[in-house]
């Protein structure tokens, strides 16, 4: 049965007037590379390259006399499968080549700016296209054995400066040039983005940002003091606790300033949006420096996720969907809260007595659950807390929910996983996906965020 909330048909105007501007109070032009929140550090001469394979894996590196340059590196897994292992961007940048060559096989070239490029050859497959912006740790393909220049599965990797291959720098050190396999080994610190989900946390005193490696309770520090964390498909972002300026994480302890303070930010699958401090305009980051475009007028609250960007009317709470710059469509009336999953939108009625799902058509919503306290959405689906005792439930289908755990101080849906912060903030847990069984993955934290 299709159910409409009261007020869905009331008319309202929201989000008008196209313009181009910086967000929202004209921050200084030009991105600054820094650990959050330092705003005046110098731009690094060399990008903070990491091994182009998943965090914590150990690989051997070598070259051979058939290479055009001794600085070209062949990588093979130690104690694990080489073929099919995710190939990751070793630093953030833009894809300038993604194609098949009879000799190099599937290969990708990423431009990192400042004359720096990296090349990845013999891939089993390519997961990015020319023009794609990728951040450090983004999976760009899989290691393979394609092309006539290879006789076994490996990743051929190069770092180039102004067109010339240079000795590779990984995690701040030069990779030794060796002519035989199993003579030099590197362990990957490429933990910027995992291939399934990434979990971030602030230390209890908010003095540092940490990322879970995906192994046991092992974490790495990836940033300094931060005010608030935002994470989603478009990346990981943090505000400066002193002035509210926004920074983007390009890799461990490598952040760039991308804008000034905002009332709030929202991250979608491929975009970042901000609401001006006075709530009068919505801006979208262009992906370049500190330049933002105005894409809408006044809004109350922004909601972002895989299904897109949504905003409430600040006067009556009506909900609108962002279809493009200054193009918004009304979807429904006011709600106590909304949650965005990978492909859908859910809302909690104003009195919190029922959960609804948008049908995708006009302002029609279906009731899919009863009373709830707080909604949590992401790639792993929709979750809701019991308003009486805080127990957490997962939506398996319309009006079909199963309990997955007890109360927590906070939960975050990161990629294909669900994480929770214990009621007293002394531990971080990951839901195993089975019943109410959770795995402890870390100690105390002030907040958690995931993508």
């Amino acid at each position: 049965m299709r159910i409409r909330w009261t007020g869905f048909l009331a008319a309202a105007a929201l989000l008008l007037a196209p313009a181009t501007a910086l967000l929202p109070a004209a921050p200084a032009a030009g991105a600054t590379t820094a650990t959050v929140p330092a705003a005046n550090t110098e731009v690094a001469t060399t990008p903070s390259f990491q091994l182009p394979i998943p965090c914590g894996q150990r690989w051997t590196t070598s070259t051979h006399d058939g290479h055009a340059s001794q600085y070209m590196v062949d990588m093979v897994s130690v104690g694990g499968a080489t073929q099919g292992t995710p190939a990751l961007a070793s630093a953030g940048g833009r894809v300038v080549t993604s194609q098949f060559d009879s000799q190099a096989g599937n290969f990708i070239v990423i431009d990192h700016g400042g004359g720096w490029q990296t090349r990845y050859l013999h891939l089993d497959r390519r997961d990015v296209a020319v023009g794609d912006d990728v951040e450090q740790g983004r999976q760009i393909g899989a290691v393979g054995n394609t092309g006539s220049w290879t006789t076994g599965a490996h990743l051929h990797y190069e770092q180039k400066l102004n067109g010339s291959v240079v000795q590779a720098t990984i995690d701040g050190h030069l990779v030794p040039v060796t002519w035989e396999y199993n003579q030099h080994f590197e362990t990957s610190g490429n933990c910027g983005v995992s291939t399934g989900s990434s979990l971030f946390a602030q230390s209890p005193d908010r003095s540092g940002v940490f990322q879970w490696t995906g192994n046991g309770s092992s974490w790495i520090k990836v940033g300094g003091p931060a005010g608030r964390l935002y994470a989603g498909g478009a990346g990981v972002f943090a505000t400066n606790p002193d002035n509210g300026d926004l920074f983007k994480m390009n890799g461990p302890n490598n952040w760039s300033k991308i804008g000034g303070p905002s009332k709030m930010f929202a991250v979608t699958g491929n975009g970042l949006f901000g609401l001006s401090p006075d709530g009068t305009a919505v801006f979208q980051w262009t992906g370049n420096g500190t330049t933002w475009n105005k894409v809408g007028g006044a809004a109350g609250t922004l909601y972002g996720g895989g299904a897109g960007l949504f905003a409430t009317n600040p006067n009556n709470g009506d909900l609108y969907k962002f279809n493009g710059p200054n193009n918004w469509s009304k979807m429904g009336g006011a709600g106590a809260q909304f949650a965005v999953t990978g492909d859908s939108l859910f809302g909690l009625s104003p009195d919190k007595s029922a959960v609804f799902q948008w049908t995708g058509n006009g302002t029609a919503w279906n009731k899919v659950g009863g009373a709830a306290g707080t909604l949590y959405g992401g790639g792993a689906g929709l979750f809701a807390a019991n308003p009486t005792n805080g127990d957490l439930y997962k939506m398996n289908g319309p009006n079909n929910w199963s309990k997955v755990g007890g109360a927590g101080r906070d939960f975050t849906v990161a990629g294909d996983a669900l994480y929770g912060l214990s009621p007293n903030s002394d531990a971080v847990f990951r839901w195993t996906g089975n019943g109410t069984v959770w795995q402890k993955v870390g100690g105390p934290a002030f907040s958690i965020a995931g993508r």
Side-chain angles (χ1 to χ4, degrees), residues 74-220:
D74 284 348
M75 301 182 180
V76 175
S77 176
V78 177
T82 298
Q83 179 81 29
T85 293
L88 312 182
S90 61
R94 176 164 293 181
V95 178
V96 293
T97 302
S98 178
Q99 66 184 56
F100 179 83
D101 177 84
S102 61
Q103 296 173 316
N106 287 309
F107 79 99
I108 291 169
V109 180
I110 299 175
D111 187 277
H112 307 282
W116 287 95
Q117 291 187 338
T118 51
R119 287 168 36 102
Y120 312 76
L121 277 61
H122 310 309
L123 299 173
D124 188 59
R125 70 170 193 273
R126 293 171 283 118
D127 294 341
V128 293
V130 172
D132 285 353
D133 290 319
V134 297
E135 58 187 357
Q136 187 175 71
R138 163 82 177 271
Q139 182 169 352
I140 59 174
V143 179
N145 186 31
T146 60
S148 61
W149 282 345
T150 176
T151 58
H154 71 281
L155 178 61
H156 176 107
Y157 173 77
E158 303 172 14
Q159 290 178 7
K160 302 183 75 174
L161 178 60
N162 297 324
S164 298
V165 180
V166 297
Q167 187 172 2
T169 299
I170 295 295
D171 201 19
H173 66 270
L174 291 173
V175 175
V177 177
T178 59
W179 292 90
E180 296 291 340
Y181 290 107
N182 299 316
Q183 287 188 357
H184 179 73
F185 304 88
E186 293 283 345
T187 298
S188 177
N190 199 344
C191 308
V193 182
S194 81
T195 56
S197 66
S198 293
L199 176 66
F200 300 84
Q202 287 177 280
S203 57
D205 61 358
R206 304 172 76 179
S207 64
V209 178
F210 292 78
Q211 181 178 6
W212 183 45
T213 65
N215 297 315
S217 57
S218 174
W219 294 68
I220 61 169

Side-chain angles (χ1 to χ4, degrees), residues 382-415:
L382 180 72
F383 302 83
N386 183 306
T388 303
N389 58 18
D391 286 349
L392 194 67
Y393 287 76
K394 183 181 188 299
M395 177 181 158
N396 305 308
N399 301 293
N400 178 5
W401 297 73
S402 58
K403 181 178 175 180
V404 298
R409 181 185 171 208
D410 191 20
F411 296 95
T412 185
V413 185

